[in-house]
Amino acid sequence: MTQSIEIEIEIINAVECRIKRAHARYIVEAISYQKSFWQDTPRGKRQKFYDYALWTRKSSTYFYFLTGHLKKVLTHCRKHNIKAKVVGTSPTSVIKYVHKAELDGITFRPHQKEGINAAINCKRGVVKAPTRTGKTIIQYGIFDTFHVHTLLIAHTLDLVKQLAEEGRRFGYNVYEVHGKRKQLNWNSRAAHIVVMTRRTANLMFKKKENKWMADHFQMVIVDEAHHITTPDGEYAKILKFIKAPL
């Protein structure tokens, strides 16, 4: 008779979960992906592949992984008949749907409604839409639905200005951070939305006086999320720093 496996996963916060070191091997497949490197051989360069586990940190007792991977981990456990007990509060459960999205002067197109509704249901993930189909409107529609303090990350300064302008057009209090304005004050804390580039965000988060930002924002939206390409890049550092449930 096959002995059933029982494990416990603890949700620490919106960023991290942890599992006992002895049980980590049961879920490592769920949080691993293939990396590669080129190796010189007598027959020339050859690409070598290996599995890389996305543990955020390790201790003598626990292994830690991103809370965003929890759903995938639980699916893996069900597939392999592993009984997984989850303790702690799901970070997305503390944020409730406020009302149906409404933007002044905007009638949402079907694909925009679909993107907004997907965000309402999942609360975390990636919304895909073709170029020039109104992704900015989808972003502000998502914000209007939850209406919480939001950090909006853009890839370039031009996009920061463009997104901020759009937000003000819809009547929101938007605070831009760039150039000589690389500081946060009471105006930024009161703002509905703070917009900055990922480089500015990483520079600011390194400063001790900005540590309050980790718990201030309840939602992070990344414009052009296809730029998030590595688990340890600039965007990843932002998402690991900000303990936003959405």
Side-chain angles (χ1 to χ4, degrees):
M1 182 180 293
T2 304
Q3 185 177 3
S4 63
I5 300 169
E6 296 184 9
I7 64 173
E8 182 176 284
I9 298 169
E10 181 183 356
I11 299 173
I12 300 173
N13 53 39
V15 177
E16 282 187 316
C17 293
R18 70 181 184 180
I19 186 170
K20 289 182 178 179
R21 188 183 186 96
H23 294 159
R25 61 193 175 97
Y26 297 120
I27 69 166
V28 66
E29 183 182 340
I31 62 167
S32 296
Y33 73 103
Q34 273 201 335
K35 293 187 74 172
S36 66
F37 64 94
W38 290 92
Q39 186 178 56
D40 288 321
T41 71
R43 296 183 180 181
K45 287 186 178 292
R46 288 197 173 183
Q47 193 174 15
K48 301 286 186 178
F49 294 90
Y50 64 98
D51 290 330
Y52 180 80
L54 291 170
W55 301 115
T56 54
R57 55 195 172 108
K58 300 176 183 179
S59 71
S60 59
T61 310
Y62 292 99
F63 277 25
Y64 297 76
F65 63 94
L66 295 174
T67 305
H69 290 149
L70 180 57
K71 184 177 180 180
K72 187 177 180 182
V73 167
L74 295 178
T75 300
H76 170 83
C77 290
R78 287 191 293 270
K79 181 180 177 181
H80 294 276
N81 296 317
I82 299 170
K83 295 181 180 179
K85 178 184 177 183
V86 179
V87 298
T89 304
S90 171
T92 57
S93 67
V94 301
I95 303 296
K96 302 299 182 183
Y97 168 81
V98 178
H99 58 72
K100 185 177 179 180
E102 295 179 354
L103 298 179
D104 291 342
I106 296 295
T107 300
F108 294 110
R109 300 171 188 169
H111 73 274
Q112 292 170 335
K113 289 180 181 179
E114 184 180 353
I116 294 168
N117 289 335
I120 294 171
N121 293 329
C122 298
K123 295 185 179 179
R124 286 185 165 195
V126 178
V127 178
K128 295 183 180 180
T131 305
R132 299 186 181 282
T133 53
K135 290 192 291 293
T136 302
I137 291 173
I138 294 175
Q139 291 176 34
Y140 278 108
I142 293 169
F143 166 77
D144 191 72
T145 296
F146 293 104
H147 223 284
V148 293
H149 287 297
T150 299
L151 175 63
L152 180 49
I153 302 294
H155 199 63
T156 66
L157 178 57
D158 287 342
L159 284 173
V160 166
K161 294 179 178 180
Q162 177 186 322
L163 290 167
E165 184 179 343
E166 284 287 298
R168 295 188 188 103
R169 183 165 71 88
F170 296 134
Y172 301 125
N173 181 359
V174 182
Y175 189 87
E176 300 173 51
V177 184
H178 57 75
K180 294 181 179 179
R181 201 179 186 184
K182 286 185 178 178
Q183 59 181 351
L184 296 175
N185 51 32
W186 287 109
N187 290 328
S188 62
R189 294 196 190 203
H192 297 135
I193 301 170
V194 174
V195 191
M196 64 179 79
T197 66
R198 90 280 187 198
R199 289 182 179 174
T200 297
N202 273 301
L203 287 173
M204 297 189 68
F205 296 162
K206 292 177 182 178
K207 298 179 180 179
K208 291 182 179 180
E209 62 266 30
N210 293 328
K211 295 299 182 183
W212 60 270
M213 294 175 64
D215 299 305
H216 176 72
F217 296 106
Q218 294 170 292
M219 180 161 65
V220 179
I221 297 176
V222 179
D223 186 60
E224 298 190 348
H226 60 276
H227 290 296
I228 306 175
T229 56
T230 64
D232 52 2
E234 288 184 310
Y235 283 107
K237 290 176 183 176
I238 297 168
L239 296 174
K240 290 176 183 177
F241 175 82
I242 300 292
K243 296 179 175 61
L246 301 178

